[in-house]
Amino acid sequence: MLPVVSRASGVYVYDEEGRAYLDGCSGAINVNLGHGVPEITQRMHEQIDQVNFVYRTQFRSRPLMELAERLADLAPGGLNHVEFANSGSEGIEMALRLVTLLHSRRHNPHKCVVLTEEPSYHGMTAGALGASGHPLRRSGLQSLLGNQVTVARVRPTHGALRAGVEEWQEAIDRVGANRLAAVIVEPVGGAASGAVPCDREVLRFLRSAADEQRFVLVADEVMSGMGRTGRWFGCDHADIAPDVMVLGKGISAGYAAMSAVLVSDEIADALGRNIGSLVFGHTMAGAPLAAAASLAVTEYLVQHDLAERAATAGKHLSGLLETVCRRHRLVKDVRGLGLQQALGLHGDPERFPGISLDLTEAARAEGLLLYPAGCTPITESVLVAPPLTSTDEELTELVRRLDRALTLLAQPVPEPVAR
Ligand SMILES: Cc1ncc(COP(=O)(O)O)c(C=O)c1O
């Protein structure tokens, strides 16, 4: 049974029994500043005292307007129009509506196929899960998902974990420019692939293919955005700007429910800059409290240069992980970028998911939180993604606990004693 939480501070979460758990996966890879940062909670208290909620069609609010400006400044060129929702999944749904409306406005309604990767994960709402290449989470839901989005898939070949340029080219040709509406891509994979980065050349290829064939390039940066991978956005590693960028998780770092969809000037112009009333909704979207929390988080990330810190801490962490993992046969590889890393595990096709859940459980017993990932036996993995504020000592302690958990798991299970 899961422990009952009592409080959390920095990289530690405490249960009611007084046990401390080192948060090696930032909750769901979202608590990017660690827990209980006074600079954030203080701003939230101040906002609650002023105004907690207004509806987005009745008022604008200062924190939301400022947040939109900060995000547009940080984002790669031309993504100047920002809309808000409450979760990554909702952000992806918005991107899907936006793409559909755009092609309809441009009198290309037959451009309706969304091309995504397997493995990929874009969220649990019907459209977002429909777009996801995650057989495990889709399992049993085909009749619901089949009606949501017309999807084509690109898959890796030759035992690779993500598709290369050749596979993408083939998939784009297969769909055809007259039908291809959008490509959605995770610049660094998360729950589905287990932190496998998309090849830089693939991102550059997709950028130029989108320009040539007039499809929308959507970057799902829900996990990889806001400094997590050592750059502000995963796309920055390839020096490209997508047409639409979806942010979530780290934008509010767990302090409130918030996501954002950044849209290029070109698309905003094509939709008449009235996007908000066209495709966006949700009662709580962009409410002042979540806006104040997210603005405070964004300012904190900038002031403390945490994207840069994720890059250096990431190198340190991967070095520690490599050393420890060489000693454990369960581990296939260490992968990822910045502080979005994973241990690839030798998954068992007969028992999937298996080893990732066992390791997560063993780690919890050692006082370490990890996030099980992978959507097939070959992608089975655990995400190791501590807060961007983690010190070197905390990273060392994380890997020490992980080492103990792996050792625990490798112990043969004792045979029951015959009576
Ligand atoms: C890449 C990616 N996209 C979308 C989502 C969905 O976000 P949420 O859980 O906030 O709906 C996630 C969540 O894990 C994610 O990692």
Side-chain angles (χ1 to χ4, degrees):
M1 236 199 299
L2 292 176
V4 181
V5 70
S6 83
R7 67 191 176 87
S9 169
V11 299
Y12 287 96
V13 182
Y14 301 85
D15 71 12
E16 282 185 348
E17 313 286 305
R19 291 202 59 199
Y21 302 83
L22 198 159
D23 194 349
C25 54
S26 307
I29 335 306
N30 62 324
V31 182
N32 287 3
L33 310 184
H35 299 268
V37 175
E39 285 91 329
I40 313 300
T41 52
Q42 181 65 33
R43 294 269 288 276
M44 293 178 75
H45 285 298
E46 286 165 14
Q47 187 63 50
I48 283 185
D49 289 341
Q50 271 179 3
V51 51
N52 183 10
F53 180 83
V54 283
Y55 192 50
R56 64 192 171 82
T57 61
Q58 293 157 1
F59 288 94
R60 296 181 298 158
S61 80
R62 284 285 160 214
L64 198 65
M65 285 151 65
E66 271 182 51
L67 178 63
E69 264 174 43
R70 295 304 293 249
L71 295 176
D73 285 348
L74 289 172
L79 293 172
N80 292 319
H81 190 98
V82 189
E83 293 287 339
F84 295 95
N86 306 292
S87 67
S89 304
E90 286 180 4
I92 294 291
E93 297 285 340
M94 289 183 180
L96 290 169
R97 290 198 289 280
L98 199 105
V99 163
T100 309
L101 267 175
L102 176 74
H103 292 305
S104 151
R105 288 275 166 109
R106 286 179 172 165
H107 307 291
N108 281 323
H110 39 277
K111 251 173 134 46
C112 63
V113 178
V114 176
L115 177 61
T116 66
E117 224 176 330
E118 185 169 315
S120 67
Y121 177 61
H122 302 296
M124 280 309 276
T125 49
L129 190 56
S132 299
H134 196 309
L136 192 64
R137 292 198 183 176
R138 296 169 60 92
S139 167
L141 297 170
Q142 295 306 338
S143 61
L144 170 70
L145 303 176
N147 301 327
Q148 302 297 325
V149 191
T150 311
V151 177
R153 291 268 185 250
V154 55
R155 293 186 175 84
T157 53
H158 313 303
L161 294 179
R162 292 199 62 170
V165 171
E166 220 175 289
E167 289 84 57
W168 276 102
Q169 175 79 71
E170 188 274 325
I172 288 172
D173 291 348
R174 185 170 15 102
V175 176
N178 58 334
R179 291 174 64 234
L180 185 56
V183 161
I184 308 180
V185 66
E186 287 170 276
V188 182
S193 73
V196 181
C198 181
D199 202 88
R200 238 182 268 186
E201 294 317 312
V202 166
L203 289 173
R204 288 180 188 155
F205 163 76
L206 290 174
R207 178 63 276 166
S208 56
D211 292 337
E212 273 165 28
Q213 308 203 14
R214 306 278 288 159
F215 64 80
V216 179
L217 181 59
V218 179
D220 180 348
E221 298 253 17
V222 169
M223 191 182 284
S224 58
M226 304 307 286
R228 166 62 59 190
T229 68
R231 301 288 299 270
W232 277 107
F233 304 100
C235 283
D236 292 342
H237 292 279
D239 292 319
I240 62 139
D243 303 304
V244 172
M245 183 189 269
V246 182
L247 300 174
K249 293 186 183 275
I251 195 180
S252 61
Y255 288 88
M258 174 63 92
S259 62
V261 180
L262 279 63
V263 182
S264 73
D265 292 334
E266 191 191 334
I267 294 180
D269 287 341
L271 289 175
R273 297 216 163 247
N274 192 19
I275 301 176
S277 61
L278 285 176
V279 286
F280 298 96
H282 307 295
T283 301
M284 291 297 287
L289 178 60
S294 303
L295 179 60
V297 165
T298 305
E299 287 174 357
Y300 192 98
L301 284 164
V302 172
Q303 275 159 16
H304 294 80
D305 212 1
L306 289 179
E308 184 56 36
R309 170 67 194 148
T312 24
K315 283 196 189 107
H316 184 60
L317 177 64
S318 67
L320 294 172
L321 289 174
E322 292 280 359
T323 313
V324 163
C325 294
R326 270 198 289 274
R327 297 210 300 271
H328 296 279
R329 283 191 306 150
L330 288 174
V331 182
K332 209 160 51 173
D333 64 353
V334 176
R335 60 214 193 197
L337 272 180
L339 284 177
Q340 188 166 331
Q341 299 198 23
L343 305 186
L345 303 171
H346 291 286
D348 177 358
E350 303 294 312
R351 194 175 75 93
F352 173 76
I355 186 67
S356 56
L357 301 179
D358 294 347
L359 180 54
T360 305
E361 196 58 44
R364 190 169 33 230
E366 291 298 331
L368 172 65
L369 304 177
L370 298 175
Y371 192 97
C375 58
T376 50
I378 73 153
T379 50
E380 186 154 26
S381 48
V382 286
L383 290 169
V384 184
L388 279 43
T389 47
S390 305
T391 62
D392 284 357
E393 293 70 36
E394 286 163 343
L395 298 178
T396 303
E397 180 56 25
L398 184 166
V399 177
R400 199 176 291 138
R401 291 179 189 213
L402 176 63
D403 192 21
R404 288 205 300 264
L406 284 162
T407 307
L408 196 70
L409 214 55
Q411 303 293 329
V413 181
E415 293 288 324
V417 182
R419 285 173 186 269

